Amino acid sequence: MPSSRQRPTLDRGFAIGLGVLLLAAWLLDRVPTMPEAPPPSYGGAAELARADADGRTVRFRDFRGEPVLVVYAADWSEDSPAQLAAVRSAAPPGLRVVHVLTSTIDGYGHPATVDTARAWARRHGLAARDVIAADLTAKPLPALALFDADGTMRFEHSGLMEAATLRERLAAADIAPGGGP
């Protein structure tokens, strides 16, 4: 009478799959890793000239030596005033905050002008030197970007950021404010 115990067999498909998986793991272990890219910085944007709310020329390089929180906003963005309020609540004294108006009330395809920037500054009680008109009509709003004193971006965020979260992000960036308000 034949034995009821059968010898376990290895399924050929399973064995091939296991072999391919082990080979892939071995090959991936030998792939050189890419060096970490440096964080974004002002780069070529350091030379871009824009106008502030008084019509004076401003370049990003003008902010070197002090950390800067850039707030991107527009009149048509319902969340832009709320972002401004969160920034006012969260920004530590001495952190330079620059508001970049991306477009007019007409939105996409209608870049901000000196008049747009001037109206925003007046409406929100901001210094004219801290409000810049730009042609960024396709940028999602509101948005924030924090640059350190060397012009290296420390974080960027699109969409409304609550004051508490912004306060945490600024603290985590560990940037000591150096310039005026």
Side-chain angles (χ1 to χ4, degrees):
M1 175 163 222
S3 167
S4 62
R5 290 182 43 168
Q6 291 188 359
R7 190 183 203 180
T9 59
L10 187 60
D11 180 67
R12 187 172 15 168
F14 176 78
I16 292 171
L18 183 61
V20 168
L21 187 63
L22 291 172
L23 178 64
W26 180 78
L27 288 172
L28 284 174
D29 189 47
R30 276 137 186 79
V31 174
T33 58
M34 296 294 291
E36 278 192 42
S41 67
Y42 295 148
E47 296 305 315
L48 289 177
R50 299 286 187 241
D52 71 12
D54 280 339
R56 291 183 299 255
T57 300
V58 177
R59 289 179 177 80
F60 278 106
R61 72 172 181 219
D62 298 339
F63 303 120
R64 287 206 192 249
E66 63 182 323
V68 178
L69 178 63
V70 180
V71 181
Y72 297 93
D75 282 323
W76 57 264
S77 167
E78 293 178 8
D79 287 335
S80 287
Q83 188 63 77
L84 175 60
V87 167
R88 283 183 165 151
S89 171
L95 176 63
R96 179 76 184 268
V97 178
V98 175
H99 304 264
V100 176
L101 271 286
T102 62
S103 55
T104 67
I105 190 74
D106 298 319
Y108 181 76
H110 301 276
T113 63
V114 170
D115 290 335
T116 309
R118 187 176 297 125
W120 184 267
R122 285 184 184 142
R123 186 174 322 111
H124 297 288
L126 301 168
R129 73 181 186 105
D130 294 332
V131 182
I132 299 170
D135 183 0
L136 299 170
T137 62
K139 183 150 187 75
L141 298 177
L144 301 168
L146 178 67
F147 294 90
D148 65 18
D150 294 326
T152 302
M153 185 184 296
R154 299 298 294 272
F155 77 78
E156 184 175 32
H157 178 81
S158 291
L160 180 61
M161 183 181 283
E162 300 296 329
T165 304
L166 178 56
R167 207 172 288 112
E168 289 170 8
R169 293 291 304 269
L170 291 170
D174 194 28
I175 292 181

